[in-house]
Structures are given as C-alpha cells and as structure tokens.
Amino acid sequence: MSTTPRLTDHPALTRHRARAARAPALFLHDSACDEAQDRLAMVNRAFTDVVIVTPWPQVWAPHFPAARIVPDAETLDLAEGSADLVIHALALHWADDPVGQMIQCRRALRPDGLFLGLTFAGRTLHELRAALSQAETEVCGGLSPRVAPMAEIRDLGALMQRAGLALPVADAATLTASYESALHLMRDLRAMGEGNALAARHRRIPPRALFPRAAALYAQAFALPDGRVPATFEIITLTGWAPDASQPQPLRPGSASARLADALGTPEQPLKD
C-alpha cells in the first residue's frame, strides 16, 4: 500500500512558526484575509457556522469573531457536516496531501456549503528560487531544495474537482513587495514562519558564502531602478461548493434546443472532413 510522500518536515515547520510568533511579519496573511472578506461580500448568503484553517489565528479572529479556528494539521479538527463555510488560509503549500486537506474541508461542509481556499502558487518567490539555484551551483557545485514547490492554477482547479467540490473556480492575484536586499527578504520570510522546512532539504550548515552570493545575483538580475529588489507572491483563490441538488447542473451532451450560430446571429460554417 503506497503512502503519501513527505513534502514537509512538520517539527521543523512548527519550530519556524514558533520562532516567528515572537515578532511575526504577517502582511500576506492580512492581504489574504482582506481578499476572503471581499469574496464573501459578493456571495448573497449569510454564513453562520464558519471554520478557518490557519496557523495564524491572530490575523483572522478579529475579522471572524464567531468562527472556529483550527490549525493546519495533517488531520483537521473538523466534524462532518458541521460548517457552511470553510476557509483554508495560506497553508496548503505545506500540506503533504493538499487533496486530502480539501476532502476534509468538503466533508465538514453541509450540502451547498462553501469552501474558500487561499494558497501560494507557481510564481511565488521565483526570483529567490532562481538566485539561490545559481548561487548554490556556483558555491556548492549542486542544488538542494530550498523553496517549497508551488502548484499552478490549472492544477489547483483540478484538485478541487478531485476533492468532490462542485462549481470549482480558481483565479490568481500577484502581490509584489520590495526589499533593500534579498537578505532582508529572507529575514522577512523567517518572520512569516516560511523558512525552509522541506523534508528533503540538506541538514548540513550551508557555506558562509552562499547567501551573500545569492543576494548579489538577485540584485544583478532583478534590481529595481531605486536599487531595491522585488519579491513576487502569487496567491490563488479557490472557491467550490459542497454538492447539492439545488445547484446548476450541466446539460447532457446533445440536449441543446437552440443552435449557437442562431444565438450569435452568424451563419453556421461546417467543418471540413
């Protein structure tokens, strides 16, 4: 029987978050919370049983005071059919089994309940990834995992379908922060609890020259006109619904009662064999 490969060293992730909690830099979580509130404002429904999955309850609790907040553990503390809204907040990128996380959220929803997920995606920290890869190749003669892999938007949409969510939608927004240097960015990532917690990372202490060289390469390739460097964060917002008979259903192929050409007011052009 196969087991899910381990992406994350969870004890290391817990240590990183505990260290970050002393003086956290959570502006990305603040932005995700704002995005969630904006999305919910467009939904013509009142949600009464809300659950939020997040490692940073202090960001979400003031905005959702009635919500139950649970940590992003491998097995989520969710009772089946207990919620009409589940928000999974910027933690899926550390999940060994993101589909499993979505399935647990879907099972926690009552019929026609809403899943709202926010997660980092493909272009997140692409500048840092490139600079570290080049620097490590030069300094160490090889590569080691240093930035967590991020899913692409099309993959995340497919994961929602695999999790059994209906009417899935995934869309992206890109945030760009600027820093004095790549070293300042790395310091901020530690304050977010986003240090390297990959299970496959090298455990030895890196050479002293590695990170200064990466910072120099980062500035060389990406520096802004004012000398600062950008850091890209791509955040995907996922929405899907627990299946319910009241939801719109796709028509059976061939069951249309009108032609598309008539609706568009254009002549129909038969395809060549």
Side-chain angles (χ1 to χ4, degrees), residues 248-258:
Q249 302 296 320
L251 294 174
R252 188 178 69 257
S255 63
S257 59

Side-chain angles (χ1 to χ4, degrees), residues 45-66:
R45 276 186 56 179
F47 296 99
T48 57
D49 296 302
V50 180
V51 176
I52 302 174
V53 180
T54 176
W56 302 108
Q58 63 268 46
V59 173
W60 295 82
H63 301 283
F64 297 87

Side-chain angles (χ1 to χ4, degrees), residues 29-70:
H29 291 266
D30 289 330
S31 178
C33 185
D34 291 342
E35 179 66 21
Q37 290 179 292
D38 289 344
R39 295 301 178 104
L40 293 173
M42 294 186 289
V43 178
N44 187 25
R45 276 186 56 179
F47 296 99
T48 57
D49 296 302
V50 180
V51 176
I52 302 174
V53 180
T54 176
W56 302 108
Q58 63 268 46
V59 173
W60 295 82
H63 301 283
F64 297 87
R68 192 167 73 90
I69 298 180
V70 303

Side-chain angles (χ1 to χ4, degrees), residues 233-257:
F233 299 94
E234 183 182 18
I235 298 179
I236 303 294
T237 302
L238 308 169
T239 56
W241 297 82
D244 184 69
S246 66
Q247 294 165 352
Q249 302 296 320
L251 294 174
R252 188 178 69 257
S255 63
S257 59

Side-chain angles (χ1 to χ4, degrees), residues 71-134:
D72 59 317
E74 184 174 10
T75 301
L76 300 174
D77 182 18
L78 300 175
E80 186 170 353
S82 62
D84 54 10
L85 170 63
V86 176
I87 301 174
H88 204 299
L90 288 188
L92 274 175
H93 63 294
W94 286 121
D96 293 322
D97 182 11
V99 177
Q101 292 277 302
M102 292 184 192
I103 290 172
Q104 292 179 72
C105 291
R106 192 256 300 159
R107 288 176 177 168
L109 289 169
R110 292 191 282 272
D112 206 33
L114 176 62
F115 169 77
L116 178 61
L118 299 111
T119 183
F120 293 116
R123 287 184 53 77
T124 297
L125 296 176
H126 71 89
E127 305 96 340
L128 182 61
R129 194 188 305 270
L132 282 172
S133 296
Q134 184 175 345

